[in-house]
Amino acid sequence: MAKKRPQTKAKRPQLDDAEVPVVGAREPCPCGSGRRYKACHGRNAAQATTALVQRPFEGLAGECDWVALRELVPAATVELTLRDGLPEGVPSVTLATVLPMAWPALRRDDGSVLLGLQNDTASGDISRDLADTLARALTAKPGTPVQGRRAPADGPRLQDLLAPEGPFEPEVRSGFEFWVPDPDNATPDVTASLERANAAAIPTVRLQGVDAAYWCETPDKNHLRWVMPHEEERLLDALARLHAAGGSSLGEGTRLVGSFRAHGLTVPVWDLPSGVTAQDIEKPAAEFAERLAEALAAEAPLTHDERRARGGLTNRQVTLS
């Protein structure tokens, strides 16, 4: 009898890393290695999507306001300008702090798009996750929400989709009525979500005389939370100089109490007496901005008192993200 020739399987062509598509973690890797995706190219993809981007909104118009709307402001909207213009059938794209039912995005019946900012994201790059959601919302069927997912590691970021010089002018709102153009026809779930969100919203006002400063009202006292673009170490030095010299307050009864650290930026926080309104703090905030500019320009080493003041400010820092 003639010998049987050994059977050999044709080797699958090896793909370049950039050509390997994303598949299920337990599926064979499309590169042809014979290993599961999670043990092959999926490992690199997972590392790419979990690596934390410290300043996800850097390069966008209004970076400080992006941070404020993500972390500090309950209800606000901003009209966004796309780099390539609006697609046919999409009359507008609006960024919102929160959407009903915590949807990542919503394509309304009229074709307009609402993009939610205060949502959990699947990767370490908020900008990439939001861009993926936005891109899918632009082509979603009108009248449907867009669900979250893990964005491709090589997908676009907001910096790729939004016009770099486009205006970014937040409109802070007292509640979430913008969710429903026709409240009488809203579903019971949306109505209940609206009521809950309105009940939890803290009254907030964006100051007009300085950038990215937000007054808010709480039962015991009011606060000013001011997102600043300056490099953290330099800003803390400047705040310490002002604090040691008695120039860090915003008027009688106010006090610089510390700062938040959020998305690569520093957010100084002041306690204000409960009777101090947003309008009351406009002039003191503008005057503080002038003092801060002078302190930021100082080059001399910190004095003993300034170092003590800086240590106190550092100890009262809270990281939000």
Side-chain angles (χ1 to χ4, degrees):
M1 296 178 60
K3 292 183 179 179
K4 291 184 178 180
R5 299 183 62 181
Q7 298 294 316
T8 59
K9 293 182 179 180
K11 291 184 178 180
R12 296 179 62 180
Q14 295 288 320
L15 302 177
D16 293 336
D17 288 351
E19 299 175 333
V20 177
V22 176
V23 297
R26 300 178 66 84
E27 295 181 36
C29 187
C31 75
S33 66
R35 291 181 290 173
R36 289 179 178 177
Y37 179 69
K38 69 176 183 179
C40 191
H41 281 82
R43 180 181 301 168
N44 294 335
Q47 290 175 348
T49 57
T50 57
L52 179 63
V53 176
Q54 297 291 339
R55 287 181 63 177
F57 306 117
E58 185 176 15
L60 292 174
E63 179 189 7
C64 293
D65 284 306
W66 277 92
V67 172
L69 268 56
R70 167 77 182 182
E71 299 294 341
L72 307 174
V73 181
T77 57
V78 187
E79 295 299 313
L80 298 180
T81 303
L82 302 187
R83 183 184 292 268
D84 297 327
L86 293 169
E88 184 177 356
V90 180
S92 64
V93 175
T94 303
L95 180 73
T97 48
V98 180
L99 294 181
M101 315 300 291
W103 288 326
L106 172 66
R107 181 91 185 271
R108 281 180 159 165
D109 291 334
D110 66 355
S112 61
V113 168
L114 289 177
L115 177 66
L117 182 57
Q118 294 180 13
N119 286 302
D120 293 335
T121 55
S123 80
D125 187 353
I126 297 170
S127 177
R128 195 180 308 282
D129 289 331
L130 288 170
D132 179 70
T133 300
L134 173 57
R136 290 185 291 125
L138 293 173
T139 59
K141 180 181 178 182
T144 60
V146 176
Q147 302 301 329
R149 72 170 189 181
R150 189 181 75 179
D154 59 349
R157 307 179 74 238
L158 287 174
Q159 288 81 348
D160 301 316
L161 300 185
L162 302 183
E165 303 301 327
F168 193 83
E169 301 172 352
E171 180 180 353
V172 179
R173 299 174 178 268
S174 58
F176 296 88
E177 283 71 20
F178 65 88
W179 283 356
V180 281
D182 185 6
D184 294 334
N185 292 323
T187 66
D189 286 345
V190 170
T191 299
S193 183
L194 175 61
E195 292 175 352
R196 289 193 300 270
N198 280 342
I202 296 174
T204 302
V205 176
R206 183 175 184 264
L207 299 194
Q208 298 301 308
V210 294
D211 292 334
Y214 291 81
W215 169 95
C216 68
E217 181 181 22
T218 59
D220 297 329
K221 62 185 69 174
N222 299 341
H223 306 279
L224 184 72
R225 300 178 291 190
W226 192 340
V227 186
M228 297 187 171
H230 316 292
E231 189 272 327
E232 180 179 333
E233 297 301 316
R234 183 164 158 256
L235 175 58
L236 290 175
D237 282 351
L239 292 174
R241 294 180 195 276
L242 293 177
H243 193 71
S248 64
S249 76
L250 299 175
E252 184 178 355
T254 70
R255 186 167 66 98
L256 175 63
V257 293
S259 63
F260 297 132
R261 183 187 291 113
H263 305 294
L265 299 182
T266 304
V267 188
V269 178
W270 285 262
D271 279 353
L272 313 173
S274 58
V276 174
T277 67
Q279 184 61 40
D280 294 334
I281 215 69
E282 285 279 6
K283 183 178 179 181
E287 293 172 346
F288 177 85
E290 294 179 358
R291 298 196 299 273
L292 179 64
E294 294 179 2
L296 286 166
E299 298 290 345
L302 296 182
T303 66
H304 174 72
D305 289 342
E306 290 169 348
R307 290 197 301 272
R308 286 184 59 189
R310 194 186 193 285
L313 291 171
T314 302
N315 290 337
R316 295 194 297 274
Q317 257 191 329
V318 176
T319 299
L320 298 181
S321 59

